[in-house]
Amino acid sequence: MKDLLSIVSHFQLQGTVQEINPLGAGLINDTYKVSTLEADAPDYVLQRINHAIFQNVEMLQANINAVTTHIRKKLEEKGEKDIERKVLHFFPADTGKTYWHDGESYWRVMAFIPNARTYETVNPEYSYYAGVAFGNFQAMLADIPDKLGETIPDFHNMEFRLKQLRDAVAADAAGRVKEVRYFLDEIERRAEEMCKAERLHREGKLPKRVCHCDTKVNNMMFDESGNVLCVIDLDTVMPSFVFSDFGDFLRSGANTGLEDDKDLANVNFNMEIFKAFTKGYLESAKSFLLPVEIENLPYAAALFPYMQCVRFLADYINGDTYYKIQYPEHNLVRTKAQFKLLQSVEEHTLEMQKFIASCI
């Protein structure tokens, strides 16, 4: 704790630090709760930023500052109460920046939101809340004047992901191309359709928005009554197509099986989750969405299992150099599960289109 106390001392905080303990089980950053002694002093959250993933910390924190400042202004204009629990608040270090570098790691401190919790549950009720929250998040940022940077370049760029796969096939480093020819052919058969977002953008028909790009149920905070307070985990907030937030949630949330399910009979696209999330999303986002964005939401639902299928397959062909595996065929099993999910999404395209039309 002594080292952590030294790090916290570089930030402009109120109160006397009583203890610092690990908080949550995040996979990316190391997170701690900083508890203060005084009853009238707030508690804080200390995080070590994963610099291996987020290599431009200056840009990362500039993005977050722009987004939280804009949301705070919007909440104030609407006369919202309890604003400190409805938008994240980061504190400056003695350098004037909202992070501190100890020579090795990058650290930041934000306000701890009291009497709030997250949920891991993915059911129609919480999927609806997620749709409302992430749609509202995009809506509040639709007119942000700041130009944000890409914290992870080409994160959801389908053309880039296909290039990675094709490069892997050309190298065939692990000698595995021959055994996965069926999946390569199926991927190439869909490639032109799946890259249409980038094409529409180049044609000036599809804008990039400020998106969250990591839309999971547990990236929302709820109050004591079960109402959504705010969206959290803003590291991946960057310019992207609205399809990122829509499709990424459904890829995990609407999958009836596991991401790496060996029994493909378990893997299907859950239309109840789709309908709940879509209803909430369109309620809060349709005020700014263009017709081209709305009509391509079923494409977004297919895009993300397709993209993840491409990424898992590329890693399998490369000899498992990116994703952690638990057994030699793990990435191939993941590929098959994502492809089965994609096929299930495709089977529901007409039903998705009809439901979206009923929501507008």
Side-chain angles (χ1 to χ4, degrees):
M1 179 170 155
K2 184 181 177 184
D3 288 345
L4 295 179
L5 272 171
S6 171
I7 290 160
V8 169
S9 72
H10 288 275
F11 290 87
Q12 300 170 25
L13 310 180
Q14 298 174 2
T16 309
V17 176
Q18 185 176 32
E19 57 183 4
I20 303 175
N21 295 307
L23 179 67
L27 299 175
I28 305 298
N29 303 312
D30 298 325
T31 306
Y32 304 87
K33 182 181 178 183
V34 180
S35 302
T36 52
L37 194 60
E38 296 84 358
D40 59 347
D43 294 331
Y44 302 94
V45 174
L46 170 69
Q47 277 189 328
R48 188 207 318 256
I49 300 167
N50 188 326
H51 188 228
I53 293 177
F54 303 106
Q55 297 180 6
N56 188 336
V57 174
E58 183 78 28
M59 178 204 288
L60 173 76
Q61 289 303 112
N63 278 5
I64 291 173
N65 183 60
V67 164
T68 53
T69 300
H70 193 72
I71 291 175
R72 184 175 292 270
K73 183 183 170 197
K74 284 288 177 80
L75 294 174
E76 288 169 352
E77 287 171 355
K78 284 170 61 179
E80 286 274 1
K81 296 175 181 175
D82 204 14
I83 286 178
E84 290 307 317
R85 290 208 298 165
K86 292 183 178 177
V87 61
L88 299 183
H89 181 194
F90 289 80
F91 292 86
D94 47 25
T95 57
K97 300 181 181 295
T98 55
Y99 64 88
W100 187 72
H101 186 225
D102 65 6
E104 184 177 322
S105 300
Y106 290 84
W107 300 84
R108 65 187 173 199
V109 172
M110 70 189 100
F112 177 80
I113 300 176
N115 303 315
R117 62 169 299 177
T118 60
Y119 294 94
E120 300 291 336
T121 309
V122 180
N123 59 24
E125 180 186 8
Y126 283 101
S127 297
Y128 169 77
Y129 294 149
V132 171
F134 289 115
N136 189 49
F137 181 80
Q138 287 182 347
M140 283 196 288
L141 296 170
D143 62 349
I144 188 170
D146 308 81
K147 184 171 174 55
L148 272 60
E150 285 191 45
T151 48
I152 307 176
D154 295 314
F155 188 41
H156 288 160
N157 182 334
M158 195 60 249
E159 291 177 337
F160 172 73
R161 296 303 182 186
L162 276 169
K163 182 183 183 303
Q164 288 181 313
L165 175 63
R166 289 162 181 162
D167 289 348
V169 170
D172 197 11
R176 291 172 168 176
V177 166
K178 192 175 178 182
E179 68 171 296
V180 297
R181 180 54 62 189
Y182 168 78
F183 294 103
L184 289 169
D185 290 346
E186 289 295 316
I187 284 166
E188 289 296 347
R189 192 162 64 81
R190 294 166 171 82
E192 186 177 355
E193 167 68 11
M194 287 300 169
C195 290
K196 73 175 173 181
E198 283 77 22
R199 284 199 308 278
L200 287 168
H201 181 63
R202 281 194 293 272
E203 293 166 5
K205 297 173 182 174
L206 180 68
K208 285 197 173 184
R209 311 277 193 183
V210 174
C211 297
H212 188 277
C213 297
D214 190 16
T215 45
K216 299 193 290 281
V217 165
N218 62 7
N219 276 336
M220 301 180 297
M221 296 288 279
F222 291 82
D223 69 12
E224 310 90 312
S225 304
N227 301 306
V228 176
L229 284 169
C230 64
V231 168
I232 59 172
D233 198 356
L234 305 181
D235 289 338
T236 52
V237 172
M238 59 181 135
S240 191
F241 306 119
V242 294
F243 308 146
S244 289
D245 286 359
F246 189 83
D248 199 20
F249 176 87
L250 293 170
R251 185 188 76 82
S252 55
N255 186 353
T256 59
L258 301 173
E259 185 178 73
D260 57 354
D261 216 311
K262 291 182 178 180
D263 185 354
L264 297 181
N266 294 332
V267 179
N268 285 292
F269 187 62
N270 186 329
M271 280 299 294
E272 292 309 304
I273 297 296
F274 169 84
K275 289 177 180 179
F277 181 76
T278 301
K279 182 175 186 292
Y281 178 75
L282 287 174
E283 280 178 13
S284 53
K286 67 181 178 184
S287 61
F288 74 88
L289 290 174
L290 299 176
V292 68
E293 292 171 308
I294 294 171
E295 72 187 40
N296 278 297
L297 291 179
Y299 155 77
L303 175 62
F304 278 80
Y306 176 85
M307 188 183 300
Q308 205 57 50
C309 181
V310 166
R311 294 183 68 186
F312 286 143
L313 185 57
D315 199 34
Y316 182 69
I317 292 169
N318 281 331
D320 311 304
T321 59
Y322 185 81
Y323 293 105
K324 290 179 181 176
I325 58 168
Q326 294 166 359
Y327 49 91
E329 299 81 29
H330 199 173
N331 273 322
L332 182 57
V333 168
R334 289 163 166 157
T335 299
K336 291 177 179 178
Q338 290 301 293
F339 184 68
K340 173 66 191 304
L341 179 61
L342 169 64
Q343 290 176 308
S344 184
V345 172
E346 291 170 341
E347 289 166 6
H348 288 95
T349 300
L350 191 59
E351 190 181 351
M352 287 191 282
Q353 290 170 339
K354 288 179 178 177
F355 182 77
I356 289 166
S358 75
C359 293
I360 301 301

